[in-house]
Amino acid sequence: MNIDLFKKLFDEGCISETSFEKVKGTSRATLFSLHWEIKTLLYLGVMLLSSGLGILIYKNIDTIGHQVILLIIAAISAGCFFYCFKNKKPFSKDQVKSPNSFFDYILLLGCLSFLSFVGYLQFQYTVFGTNYGMATFIPMVGLFYIAYEFDHLGILAMGITNMAIWMGVSVTPKQLLLNSDFNSQTVIFTYLFLGLLLLAAGYLTTYFSFKKHFRFTYQHFGVHLSFISLLAGYFFYHDSGLSLLFMVVLFALAIYIYKDAMKHHSFYFLLLLVIYTYIAISSLVLRVIFSIKDDTSFTLSFMYFIASAIGIIFLLINLNKKIKAA
Amino acid sequence: MIIYNNVWLANLLVREEAQRARKVEAISIDEQKKIDDMYPVGFYTPNIFIRIGLFILTCIIVSFSIGLFMLMVSDFKINDTWGFFLFFGIITYLALEAMVRTSNHFKSGVDDALMWISGGLLLTTFILLQADANPDFPYSRISFFVFLLALFYALRFTDMLMTAISLLALIATIFFVWKDLFSWGMSTMPFLIMLASSGLYFLSKRSVGKQLTIYYTNCLYVVQIISLLVLYLAGNYYIVQSLSPANAGVYNSTEPQPVPFGFFFWLWTILVPFIYVTLGIKNKDTIILRTGLLLIAAAAFTFRNYYHVMPIEGGLSIVGIVLLSVCYGVIKYLKTPKYGFTYEDLEQDHFMDKIKVESLIVSETFSGTQPQSDSTRFGGGDFGGGGASGNF
C-alpha cells in the first residue's frame, strides 16, 4: 500500500492514528494469494480427468470387461464421496463455507463420475428398463441431495440441468439459444412450467430461510426460462388471441421480478428484466406499426428503435440510481 | 491528452487505495466514508450489468440512426463511398467527446460503444480510401493506421482493450514491414519479434507506478500480458514452422519442413512457460505467473501436435490427476502461509463471486449435449461434455 498517501490522509485528519499504524503494518506483511490460480487449476484438473475417463470408457466399451469399468468409475466416485463426507462440516440451514476449493472440486468429480456410473449402468444393463424417466430421475435426486448436503452451488446448477433433462428439455442459456426448437406446444409449456417452478423454488428458499444463498441460482435459470418460453409462446400463437395472454403473463412476471430485484438490490436481474420486457414491448409495437401496411412503417420502426433505446438508457440509469438508494 | 478530469482521476486512485485498506480492515467504514467525502469523484461509472445494457442500447441507437439516414438518402447512391463512413465516424466521435465532457461518462458502456463504433467507421474510411487509390495496397498500411488510431483512443480514454488492439497492430506492422523489406526477412522474423516484445515488456514494467503513467496502470498491465504472450509465441515451434520461408504457401501439408535452429525453438517452446512461472513466483508477480500457467497448456498442445506419446484420453486423465494432486499438495503446504504466500482468498467480495460465476461455468461446461430422442435419454451431464464444447 502507498504509505505516503496514507500519511497525507492521516495529516488531513481522514484516518486515526491507530488506523495509520495498521496500514503501515499490513503493507509490511503483504501476502501473495494463489487462490484463483489454484481454483482454475482444480477446475481444469477435474474437467480433464472426467473427460479423459469418459473417452476411455467410450472407446473401450467393447474390449475391457464392463464390470471392470463399472468398478473403476464406482471406485472413483465412492472415493471422492468418502473424502467429502470425512471432511465435511456439519449441515446447517444457512450457508456453510466449504473447507477449501479442493473439497469443492473433488465433490464435483464425485458427482460427475456418479453420473457416468448411472449412465453406463443404464446403457449396458438397462437397469431401469425402458423407463428412461427413472434413469434421469435418480441422478437428479442424488444431485439435489448432494447440493444441499454439501452446500455446493455448482452441483445445484447441475441438478437443475438434470431436472430439465428429466423433463426432456435443456436449460443452460447457451444450449437454449443454440439447439432448442420452440416450434412445439409441449416444449414451450414444459419450459414455462420449469421456469415458474424454479422461480417458486427461489422464492421458497428465502421464505423458509432454508439455504437462502441458493436463491440466485434458482432464479437465474427461472428468469431466463420463463421469459424465453413466454416470448416463444407469444410468437408461436402469434395469430391467435392466445398470444396476448402470454404477453399479460410476461408483464405480470416482469413486475414480480422488478419488485424482487429491488428488494435484493440485484442489478443482474434488473438488466435481464429490462432486456426481456424491451423485446416484448418492441414486438408488440412493431406488430402495430407493420399492420398499417404502408411504406412509412419502415421509417416509423427505425424511429421507434432510436427513441425507445434512448428511453431505455435513461430508464436503466434511473433504475440504477434507485436501486443504489434503496 | 486524457479527456477526463485529472483531479477526479487522482481522487479515484485515492479511493481505490482506501478501498483496499478497508478490505484488509486497516481502516474503518467511517474513515473510508470520510475519505470519499474529501476526494469527490464526479464520473458516471455504473456497475458491469448496467454497463453491458448501456453498451447494447447505444449500439442499437447508432445503428438504427445510420440505417434511418441511409433509408432517407438511398436515392443518391452515396451509401458505399468513403465520405459516408467518414461523416458518421466523425459524428460518433464527436458524440463520444460530448458524452464524456458533458455527462462525465467514464467506462459506462455508452462511451465504450461509441469508441468502438467511431473507430470502426474511421478504419473503414481508411480502407476504402486505400482501395480506391490502389486495389493491392500493402497490409502494413492498415495495421499501422489501426495502431495509430487505437493508440489515440487508448491514450485519450485510458481504455484497456484499445491498448491491446494498438499493441497487436504495432506487432503486425513490424511483421509486415520486415517481411517485405528484406529477402531474408521471414527467416529472422522470430528474433525481431522477440526483441520487440521483450523491449515492450520491460518498457511497460518500468513505467508502472511512475508519475507520468499513473492513470495508465491498467493499460500497462495489458501491455505486459500481451507482450509476454507475443514473446512466447514468436519462438513457439509450431508458429515458427508455419511461418518459415520453407513452408511458405504450403498450407496443411502433411510433412512440413523442419526449421533451422529447431533445437533452439523447441527449448523455447517448452522452457519459457516454466521460466515465466518461476519468475512469477519468485517476484510475486501475478501477471507473469498467470501468463506462464496459460502458456504451459500452449506448450503441451504444441508438443502433442508433433509427438503422439499416448492417446488423448490417457493424456487427459493423467494430466487431470497430476493437476489435482499438485493442487492438493499446494493447499496442504500453504495451510499456514509460508514465504509470504497464502492460499486464502484475500479479496473476498470479488465481483465474480457475487454473481456466482463459478457455479454457472460448471453447469455450462458439464451439462453435456441434450438427448432429444428417447433412445439416448440417460445420463445427461456425464462424460465429455466439457471436452467436446471446447470451452476451456
Side-chain angles (χ1 to χ4, degrees), chain B residues 164-178:
Chain B
I165 302 270
S166 86
L167 188 61
L168 290 175
L170 176 65
I171 301 277
T173 312
I174 295 174
F175 180 87
F176 288 127
V177 168
W178 193 256

Side-chain angles (χ1 to χ4, degrees), chain A residues 12 19 33 37 101 105 175, chain B residues 31 39 290 343-344 358 368:
Chain A
E12 281 169 353
S19 297
S33 175
E37 282 80 359
S101 303
Y105 281 92
Q175 284 165 3
Chain B
E31 283 169 338
Y39 294 90
R290 288 184 185 172
Y343 160 71
E344 286 304 317
E358 197 186 339

